[in-house]
Amino acid sequence: LGYWYPYKNIFSLVDELAIKPFTSWTRSAQYSGEGLEVEFPVYQELPQLPTPLGTLYHTQVFPLINIWRSFHYMQFVRLPLVDRLTSLPLMAAGKELFKRFGCSERLYQDIFGPLLQVGLFAPAEQCSAAATLGLLYYLILAHQKHFDVAFCRGTTKQKIFEPWVESLKAKGCEMLEDKKVTDFNFDEETGCVTEVVCGNETYSVDAVVVAVGITTLQETIKKSAALCKREEFLKVSNLAGIDVVTVKLWLDRKVAIPNPSNACAGFDDLFGCTIFDLNVIHDEHKDDSETVLEADFDHANELLPLNDELVTEKVISYLSKYINDLESACVVAKEIGRFPKRLTHFFPGELLTA
């Protein structure tokens, strides 16, 4: 759903297609198990400072100025200033290094831990130092407006992919649907793929772009006589995936969801989720009389095997910590999506094993 400011390739594509699938840049919030922790601003609306001063200044200094100037930048709701200041020397990764560089336990538990859990799809203790550094760079050292996000005003398939496919067809491209790739043929001299095999059919190609999840790619490699002989593809077998469960709920009444996007963690230190207010984000729900929300759970191993009713029951219980009056509303419709091993697990040593 989210498209961040640096996604220039996507924004260029939609401009080329002459479509406007996105919302404006949108505020978001972060929750821990204790409740609301941070409300993020739209950084483009703030004074632009050189990296990393913009992010540090707007997140550390302005909460003090807010006392008498009423600026509404990144608002820390519960965390004291003394804990926030311990983030300044952070340029290392992993829980132990957070401790080593003086990050307070409360800052880690309430802010960085949940942020890493949602950003890297798993508890911080299960994530590599390299991935943690990458996320911290993006959040702290990158240009401040890189954190700004817009959302697709409907499904990505409907708003972007389908118009793109129609555009390609208009240029003479032929779409081959319901074709499952089973193997590839290589030119042994050049090492390049020359053919794609789909069961009993073979197609000559100039190039191949693989756009599938890790699990699908691993299965393809296992069944491919060509790929399983190549070291670079065998290394993919060392990668791991993370289970995802998406829950879309229709409620019988309007319930106030604080922000269009709300990142939440701290349920039981195992999974995190992002809550989306689809009445605000999706065009089709803007005039609905009921609340329509979506909650995407990552590292959702414990939710994956449950039936729809149990998933809904648990989700309502979890989300009620963050959305007032949710428990008093009735669920009138639901859509549950289960995606085993869909996201990449950036586990310690992943870059070495792959």
Side-chain angles (χ1 to χ4, degrees), residues 243-245 300-308 310-311 338 340:
D243 297 335
V244 176
V245 172
N301 314 48
E302 296 182 11
L303 294 177
L304 200 65
L306 303 180
N307 62 37
D308 287 0
L310 285 176
V311 169
R338 297 172 178 81

Side-chain angles (χ1 to χ4, degrees), residues 1 3 17 19 21-22 152-166 177 282:
L1 284 172
Y3 295 83
L17 296 173
I19 58 176
F22 299 122
C152 199
R153 298 184 355 253
T155 66
T156 300
K157 177 183 177 183
Q158 173 194 35
K159 292 293 186 178
I160 300 177
F161 193 76
E162 289 179 354
W164 183 37
V165 168
E166 292 304 314
E177 300 180 0
H282 284 190

Side-chain angles (χ1 to χ4, degrees), residues 3-7 55 131-149:
Y3 295 83
W4 275 259
Y5 183 87
Y7 291 8
T55 306
T132 303
L133 277 174
L135 184 61
L136 289 178
Y137 169 81
Y138 186 80
L139 297 178
I140 298 174
L141 292 180
H143 297 289
Q144 66 183 64
K145 59 186 177 183
H146 284 189
F147 195 68
D148 289 343
V149 62

Side-chain angles (χ1 to χ4, degrees), residues 24 56 61 68 135 138 143 173 176 238 269 321 349:
S24 58
L56 292 175
V61 178
W68 64 85
L135 184 61
Y138 186 80
H143 297 289
C173 292
L176 303 177
N238 295 318
D269 297 325
K321 296 180 180 180

Side-chain angles (χ1 to χ4, degrees), residues 65-119:
I65 301 176
N66 283 345
I67 296 175
W68 64 85
R69 291 182 62 182
S70 299
F71 282 124
H72 297 288
Y73 298 144
M74 183 173 177
Q75 299 287 334
F76 285 85
V77 177
R78 301 185 329 106
L79 195 70
L81 176 63
V82 66
D83 289 285
R84 299 201 299 270
L85 291 176
T86 65
S87 70
L88 293 177
L90 286 177
M91 269 310 297
K95 186 173 183 178
E96 293 306 314
L97 290 180
F98 273 91
K99 291 181 179 179
R100 184 184 305 174
F101 280 82
C103 174
S104 76
E105 182 67 20
R106 183 170 181 181
L107 177 64
Y108 178 81
Q109 292 294 340
D110 291 353
I111 304 297
F112 280 113
L115 190 63
L116 292 170
Q117 186 166 347
V118 173

Side-chain angles (χ1 to χ4, degrees), residues 245-252 278 285 290-295 306-316 330-338:
V245 172
T246 64
V247 182
K248 185 176 180 180
L249 300 177
W250 284 258
L251 307 178
D252 65 345
L278 298 188
H285 298 307
E290 72 272 12
T291 296
V292 185
L293 65 86
E294 181 174 326
L306 303 180
N307 62 37
D308 287 0
E309 287 69 26
L310 285 176
V311 169
T312 303
E313 181 181 325
K314 282 184 171 290
V315 165
I316 291 295
C330 295
V331 176
V332 296
K334 56 184 176 291
E335 290 180 4
I336 313 295
R338 297 172 178 81

